[in-house]
């Protein structure tokens, strides 16, 4: 069964996709191919028996469930329906690829030393899980990573940032190919994701606090001009609260948070249209 296929761009060692893919391509020249097997622990991780599969009585589930449906439990966790019988519903909170080995067939099409043509952009749009996946799906975005920016404390942790005491906001840093996607398009994507939250101060959806403030953090004056112009087009009957500031010290988030929703089974394919579920 083919899980995924197609052309991808990546910066070796900079995150994104499976780590084993990065290590595999380092030894290949353009035009060379390699087929190899990836153990489950080096792919999407082992399946946790504590997370399923579990059978529940059919009368405890909502009517009309079918195999493949995703349901949210009372504790906030999500799970997939893997089997339905008249008596039971089988659910599994493991990611769909958890516990599965992969066979990868890789061909290197092109190598660019030091990724010289790529540019960097920093954004904040509330909880960083959902906004990262949105940027992952955008053609021309090569690398994404989540982290913390615009704060004062050195080397902040997730829990410290969530306390709202460090001054940081949850952010997403992307490396993109300007020949494929413009910085203006990336700014527009941020506003598309924010929706009416762009008019709220220190809030995106139900997430409130300075750690969830939204912003565009420019790396040069060209980016600043584009960001300001894009923001000006959003104004309607009230002021847009998205801040525009110079990029400051960036701290990578913990590995657990990187590409979190993709690890949980949501598609990161370019131009994927499935609804992004920010709870995993």
């Amino acid at each position: 069964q083919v899980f995924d296929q197609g052309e991808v761009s990546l910066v070796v060692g900079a995150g994104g996709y499976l780590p084993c893919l990065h290590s595999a391509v380092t030894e290949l020249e353009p035009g060379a191919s390699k087929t190899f097997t990836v153990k489950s622990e080096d792919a999407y991780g082992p399946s946790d028996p504590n997370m399923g599969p579990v059978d529940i009585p059919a009368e405890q589930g909502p009517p009309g469930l079918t195999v493949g449906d995703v349901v949210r439990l009372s504790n906030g966790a999500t799970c997939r329906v893997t089997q339905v019988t008249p008596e039971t519903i089988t659910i599994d909170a493991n990611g769909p690829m958890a516990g599965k080995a992969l066979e990868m067939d890789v061909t290197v099409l092109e190598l660019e030393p030091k990724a010289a043509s790529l540019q960097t952009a920093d954004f904040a749009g509330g909880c960083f899980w959902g906004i990262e996946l949105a940027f992952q799906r955008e053609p021309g975005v090569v690398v994404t990573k989540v982290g913390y920016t615009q704060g004062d404390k050195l080397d902040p942790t997730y829990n410290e940032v969530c306390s709202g005491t460090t001054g940081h906001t949850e952010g997403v840093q992307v490396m993109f190919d300007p020949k494929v996607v413009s910085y203006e398009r990336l700014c527009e994507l941020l506003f598309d994701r924010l929706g009416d939250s762009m008019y709220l101060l220190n809030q995106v959806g139900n997430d409130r606090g300075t750690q969830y403030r939204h912003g565009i953090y420019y790396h040069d004056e060209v980016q600043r001009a584009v960001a300001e112009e894009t923001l000006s087009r959003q104004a309607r009957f009230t002021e847009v609260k998205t801040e525009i500031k110079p990029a400051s010290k960036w701290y990578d988030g913990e590995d657990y948070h990187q590409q979190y929703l993709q690890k949980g089974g949501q598609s990161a394919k370019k131009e994927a249209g499935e609804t992004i579920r920010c709870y995993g």
Side-chain angles (χ1 to χ4, degrees), residues 171-190:
V172 177
Q173 186 172 88
V174 307
M175 296 181 68
F176 66 99
D177 185 346
K179 298 190 299 296
V180 180
V181 62
S182 68
Y183 184 71
E184 179 182 14
R185 165 57 191 157
L186 299 181
C187 293
E188 291 173 345
L189 177 57
L190 173 69

Side-chain angles (χ1 to χ4, degrees), residues 181-254:
V181 62
S182 68
Y183 184 71
E184 179 182 14
R185 165 57 191 157
L186 299 181
C187 293
E188 291 173 345
L189 177 57
L190 173 69
F191 288 117
D192 288 344
R193 286 292 303 168
L194 288 174
D196 288 344
S197 290
M198 73 176 76
Y199 306 111
L200 303 176
L201 181 64
N202 298 331
Q203 181 178 349
V204 176
N206 294 322
D207 294 323
R208 295 175 172 86
T210 56
Q211 68 272 31
Y212 296 117
R213 68 188 185 275
H214 35 99
I216 302 173
Y217 308 112
Y218 55 87
H219 286 259
D220 56 39
E221 289 303 308
V222 173
Q223 287 190 353
R224 176 180 181 173
V226 172
E228 291 176 344
E229 170 60 25
T230 308
L231 183 146
S232 71
R233 296 199 298 268
Q234 314 305 317
R236 297 177 184 173
F237 305 108
T238 187
E239 179 186 0
V240 176
K241 301 298 185 180
T242 305
E243 62 184 16
I244 297 179
K245 294 183 176 181
S248 65
K249 176 68 175 177
W250 173 272
Y251 296 95
D252 289 350
E254 293 81 350

Side-chain angles (χ1 to χ4, degrees), residues 27-88:
E27 60 189 58
L28 300 179
E29 296 294 330
S33 300
K34 180 179 181 180
T35 299
F36 58 101
T37 300
V38 182
K39 296 182 293 186
S40 62
E41 55 265 35
D42 296 326
Y44 289 88
S47 179
D48 184 350
N50 294 318
M51 299 178 66
V54 175
D55 293 333
I56 62 172
E59 61 268 20
Q60 293 185 11
L65 285 179
T66 60
V67 173
D69 285 347
V70 176
V71 296
R72 191 172 190 179
L73 306 180
S74 59
N75 63 1
T78 59
C79 58
R80 293 172 295 111
V81 177
T82 58
Q83 184 175 332
V84 177
T85 72
E87 295 77 27
T88 63

